[in-house]
């Protein structure tokens, strides 16, 4: 019997030595990443005075990465604070610009119906506990319908001063990787066990500077296309990647 | 029957001192028995035959060699040799303990006077003059003198494996046979030498500003069978310890005590083939030897083949009775492939580019462009002059060194153009230097007091380059580092060893090191905002560091000592991290330890040590996978303890074991030296480790009499290692066994490593990588990577042993 208890003690000691956490900090925690549409994005007025109502809006996103460092757009005080109070990391993550530690990511590409019922997307992920101060993401193109080779596709109506234009088209992207990335989206949250990170898409930013009257004549069904060399497409490209197209909460 | 008058001039030469210093004057051996001396028939006249005798701890004459200038006629020599062989002494004593000594003994043939009453020849006089190297006290509780030959039956393939005889040393190799192993000691991930000073017979081995790691130390050029002793000092407590002695030091000393010729061939698992030739001419000193080792093999999995050769030759000559000169030359070349590390999730999912079985996946390689080539050639000379009051030692050396490593830790993560993240690191250098010490003994207060002064001078002239390699064909496509290096190190130390009373020894010293860097960076941009510029730029920097060290030993009772030590150590700067005119910052370590050492020879020979330690480093290094080298992370603190024990339970058997506990933390800003345990734990450093070695030497019964046989076993256990993000690695344990049997001149042996064929991660890292391909979307979250430990591996050997003739044993 004494022998049995001796082996039990040895096993317990082995277990205590092997169990528990490592104490290296920044533990891995489960969190939820949700992608939502700004409710204003269904019907909005652009800076150029067009009242736009979207009937259809799809978008494809690639890797979404949560970073510990504030974006270059952060205030100088905030960046100075990070400079003077560095935190030593034991290689928990990897920064591509100065994003710092990667706290969480979504790797698989997703195609989102921005005007559908409920949240377009929600996923349970694992990340590294700690502050998240910036987010980057990839804009993807998808060959299959409804995107048919574009990053985003819309159909809707724009009206101004009695002129009503029905439009439909897809947003094409250049081939280089840099043009397909949106970096430094500011965030002010802490990743902890059970946290929810909401990435909000703002379609109203897409056509902020668009002039729909420049679109070519309507084809069958009275719908004007959005050619890739049109002013509307150029404005859409800038708006889809520019400030305010995405926010993080 | 004539009896000689023996006029004896005794000089004490300490050969095998116990762990306890010579504070008192040694007591010479006393003759207690002598045989009859026969005047050679037919001889005439008087003659003197002078010997140098080795009298062992039992008082027997273990060795008798003629003094160099001896020229007596052969009949007298023969008669005198027979006479001295029968002498019996009470052994010499050093602090109450019997010690082996060398004495000069002259046998004088002359018409003898009538023997004194009692039939015993009086010894005319003794003149005691300590000429040998005085036994050295341990400088700290963590000062271990390892005797590799005493544990030779436990399989250890390379000279670096001998370090595991010291408590708390864990080796981890993530890049294959020819790559130096990372050493873990006292909570330090000492890298491949960044925090441990390595020396061979006083010659420094750490490579300054090696692009793989500043301080990289490769001992693969040392034939382990030629290692006489390894002294491991855990902690920076000896003023003689120099650059890189942050976690401690490992000093190798060569020597071939067993004289003769050994011709050994081996064949083993995975087509391993070895040839070992060791020759020590019988009539020569231990420092005279030739060793050649050739080996090759396929390795235990994909991309692990290796092949290379090493040659070492030494020549030792006595210049008089008090001076000896040793010259050692060595040449080494080794080429090896490496499997590197693989992602654990790829292994679990069976995604690695190897066969589908669990073992094929476990031992797979993600990138077969990895490997390396290592060469080293050099010569050094050691001059020692030992008198009763002084010990002078001078070492001079020159060596050339080339190391080329190809590694890939991240796959396709870093290069945006998808060419691949392989790195090639090349280090090419010529190193020369001097090292010396002078210990002066004086007798004060009835005890020996010692003042030691010493110096180091070293110059390295070489280049360090790092390039990125494309996955396709290993073609270099970018240069990350291209430095020309000229680095000079000068150091000096002085220490005082005082024995105010018999049972206390106090040691204190100061060491000063200076470094000067002359670096040319050939990888500067050719254009700046100011316009076109030259791609190269020179940079000079220098620095000095003062390092105090003190220690004490208190003998509580016979066989039980209490030791305490405090020391400051430094690691010089990597030239790649310096800027022009900078006063080169060192990484400074402050260490303190205390412990008890217990040694007894009866009823069983046994020993025990218990040591506690605390260490603070102001600029620590942690491995960075993007650059495949160690980079600064800030200050750190370590604390822990070790328990080491040894026992000889029965005749011919010995067992030693140790358990070590170590905690390593990144020190929060503002926390001081005495803040152990604060801050996040440093990853990768094992918190618990244990090691047991056991050997047995005896004889096996056989039809033709007993066959000498030896066997050994070693157990290594490493506890779960802390990984980043609160993860824990896997603990592992391995058992190694070996045995040899001898029949006449032939010896057969078998060495088995990892007897139970355990599957374990020898090295573990957590970081992001992309081995899926250049077009894959890589995860940038840290994930577990590992380097597989070797499975069950056997090596069978057959050796032809021609021992030195009797009378021609080593002098």
């Amino acid at each position: 019997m004494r022998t049995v208890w001796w082996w039990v003690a040895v096993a317990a000691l082995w277990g205590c030595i092997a169990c528990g956490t490592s104490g290296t900090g920044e533990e891995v925690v489960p969190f939820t990443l949700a992608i939502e549409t700004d409710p204003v994005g269904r019907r909005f007025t652009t800076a150029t005075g067009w009242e736009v109502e979207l009937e259809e809006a799809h978008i494809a996103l690639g890797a979404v990465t949560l970073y510990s460092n504030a974006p270059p757009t952060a205030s100088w005080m905030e960046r100075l604070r990070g400079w003077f109070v560095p935190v030593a990391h034991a290689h928990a993550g990897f920064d591509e610009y100065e994003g710092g530690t990667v706290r969480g990511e979504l790797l698989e590409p997703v195609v989102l119906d921005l005007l559908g019922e409920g949240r377009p997307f929600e996923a349970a992920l694992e990340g590294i506990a700690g502050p998240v101060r910036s987010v980057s993401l990839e804009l993807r193109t998808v060959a299959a319908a409804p995107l048919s080779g574009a990053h985003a596709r819309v159909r809707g109506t724009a009206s101004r001063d009695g002129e009503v234009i029905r439009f439909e088209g897809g947003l094409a992207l250049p081939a280089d990787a840099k043009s397909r990335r949106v970096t430094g989206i500011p965030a002010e949250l802490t990743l902890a066990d059970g946290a929810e990170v909401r990435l909000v898409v703002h379609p109203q930013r897409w056509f902020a500077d668009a002039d729909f009257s420049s679109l070519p004549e309507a084809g069958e069904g009275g719908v004007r296309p959005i050619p890739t060399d049109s002013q509307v497409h150029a404005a859409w490209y800038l708006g889809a990647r520019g400030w305010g197209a995405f926010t993080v909460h | 029957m004539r009896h000689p008058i023996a006029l004896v001039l005794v000089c004490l030469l300490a050969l095998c001192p116990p762990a306890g210093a010579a504070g008192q004057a040694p007591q010479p051996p006393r003759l207690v028995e002598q045989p009859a001396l026969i005047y050679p028939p037919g001889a005439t006249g008087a003659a003197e035959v002078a010997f140098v005798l080795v009298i062992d701890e039992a008082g027997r004459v273990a060795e008798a060699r003629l003094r160099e200038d001896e020229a007596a006629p052969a009949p007298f020599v023969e008669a005198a040799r027979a006479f001295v062989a029968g002498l019996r002494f009470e052994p010499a004593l050093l602090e109450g303990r019997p010690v082996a000594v060398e004495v000069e003994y002259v046998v004088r043939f002359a018409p003898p006077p009538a023997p004194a009453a009692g039939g015993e020849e009086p010894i005319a006089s003794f003149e005691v003059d300590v000429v040998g190297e005085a036994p050295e006290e341990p400088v700290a509780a963590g000062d271990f003198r390892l005797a590799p030959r005493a544990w030779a039956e436990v399989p250890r393939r390379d000279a670096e494996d001998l370090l595991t005889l010291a408590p708390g040393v864990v080796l981890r190799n993530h890049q294959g046979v020819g790559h130096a192993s990372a050493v873990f000691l006292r909570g330090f991930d000492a890298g491949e030498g960044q925090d441990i000073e390595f020396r061979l017979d006083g010659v420094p081995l750490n490579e300054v500003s090696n692009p793989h790691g500043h301080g990289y130390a490769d001992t693969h050029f040392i034939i382990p069978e030629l290692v006489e002793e390894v002294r491991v000092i855990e902690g920076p407590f000896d003023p003689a310890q120099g650059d890189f002695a942050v976690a401690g030091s490992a000093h190798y000393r060569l020597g071939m005590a067993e004289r003769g010729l050994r011709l050994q061939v081996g064949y083993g698992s995975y087509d391993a083939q070895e040839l070992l030739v060791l020759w020590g001419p019988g009539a020569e000193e231990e420092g005279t030897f030739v060793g050649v080792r050739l080996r090759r093999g396929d390795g235990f999995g994909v991309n692990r083949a290796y092949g290379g050769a090493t040659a070492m030759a030494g020549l030792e000559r006595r210049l008089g009775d008090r001076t000896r000169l040793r010259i050692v030359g060595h040449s080494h070349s080794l080429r090896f492939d490496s499997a590197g590390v693989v992602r654990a999730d790829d292994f679990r999912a069976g995604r690695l580019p190897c066969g589908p079985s669990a073992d094929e996946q476990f031992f797979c390689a993600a990138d077969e462009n990895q490997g390396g080539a290592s060469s080293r050639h050099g010569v050094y000379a050691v001059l020692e002059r030992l008198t009763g009051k002084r010990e002078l030692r001078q070492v001079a050396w020159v060596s050339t060194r080339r190391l080329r490593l190809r590694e890939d830790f991240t796959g396709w993560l870093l290069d945006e153009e998808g060419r691949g993240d392989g790195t090639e690191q090349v280090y090419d250098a010529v190193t020369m230097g001097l090292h010396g010490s002078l210990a002066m003994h004086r007798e004060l207060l009835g005890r020996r007091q010692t003042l030691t002064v010493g110096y180091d001078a070293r110059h390295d002239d070489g280049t360090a380059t790092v390039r990125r390699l494309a996955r396709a064909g290993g073609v270099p496509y970018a240069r990350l580092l291209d430095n020309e290096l000229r680095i000079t190190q000068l150091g000096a130390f002085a220490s005082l060893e005082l024995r105010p009373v018999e049972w206390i020894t106090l040691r204190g010293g100061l060491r000063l090191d200076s470094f000067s860097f002359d670096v040319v960076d050939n990888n500067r941009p050719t254009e700046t905002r100011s316009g076109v510029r030259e791609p190269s730029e020179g940079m000079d920097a220098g620095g000095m560091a003062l390092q105090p060290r003190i220690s004490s030993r208190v003998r509580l009772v016979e066989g039980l000592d209490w030791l305490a030590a405090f020391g400051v150590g430094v690691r010089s700067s990597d030239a790649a991290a310096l800027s022009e005119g900078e006063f080169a910052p060192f990484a400074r370590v402050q260490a303190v330890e205390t412990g008890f050492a217990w040694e007894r020879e009866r009823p069983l020979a046994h020993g025990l040590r218990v040591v506690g330690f605390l260490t603070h480093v102001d600029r620590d290094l942690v491995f960075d996978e993007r650059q495949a080298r160690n980079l600064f992370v800030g200050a750190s603190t370590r604390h822990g303890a070790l328990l080491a024990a040894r026992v000889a339970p029965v005749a011919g058997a010995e067992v030693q074991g140790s358990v070590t506990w170590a905690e390593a933390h990144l020190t929060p800003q503002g926390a001081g030296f005495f803040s152990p345990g604060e801050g996040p734990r440093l990853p990768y450093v094992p918190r618990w480790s244990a090691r047991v070695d056991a050997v047995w030497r005896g004889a096996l019964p056989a039809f033709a009499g007993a066959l000498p046989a030896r066997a050994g076993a070693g157990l290594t256990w490493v506890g779960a290692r802390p990984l980043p993000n609160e993860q824990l690695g896997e603990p592992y344990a391995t058992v190694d066994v070996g045995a040899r049997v001898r029949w006449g001149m032939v010896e057969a042996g078998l060495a088995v490593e990892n007897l139970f064929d355990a599957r374990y991660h020898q090295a573990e890292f957590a970081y992001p990588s992309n081995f899926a391909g250049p077009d894959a979307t890589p995860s940038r979250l840290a994930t577990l990577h590992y380097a597989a430990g070797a499975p069950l591996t056997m090596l069978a050997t057959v050796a032809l042993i021609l021992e030195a003739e009797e009378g021609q044993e080593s002098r």
Side-chain angles (χ1 to χ4, degrees), chain A residues 14 17-28 63 65 67 84-86 88-96 102-105 107 126-128 138 140, chain B residues 413-414 622-626 633 666 669 679-684 687-688 717 719-720 722-728 731 766-768 777-782:
Chain A
W14 178 281
I17 290 171
C19 70
T21 58
S22 67
T24 49
E26 300 190 330
E27 60 180 320
V28 176
T65 311
Y67 289 101
F84 278 113
V85 188
H89 298 291
H91 307 292
F94 172 70
D95 56 289
E96 58 171 7
V102 171
R103 297 234 174 257
E105 63 185 8
L107 287 182
E126 282 193 335
I128 298 168
E138 287 180 359
R140 288 287 184 106
Chain B
L413 185 71
L414 304 177
V622 174
F623 188 72
D624 183 283
E625 305 75 19
R626 287 173 288 176
V633 289
L666 281 174
Q669 268 199 334
R681 184 168 283 129
L682 276 172
Y684 311 127
R687 297 176 62 199
W688 289 94
W717 174 77
L723 301 176
N725 309 127
E726 295 291 351
Q727 303 295 303
L728 278 174
Y767 62 92
T777 301
S779 168
R780 295 178 188 274
L781 282 174

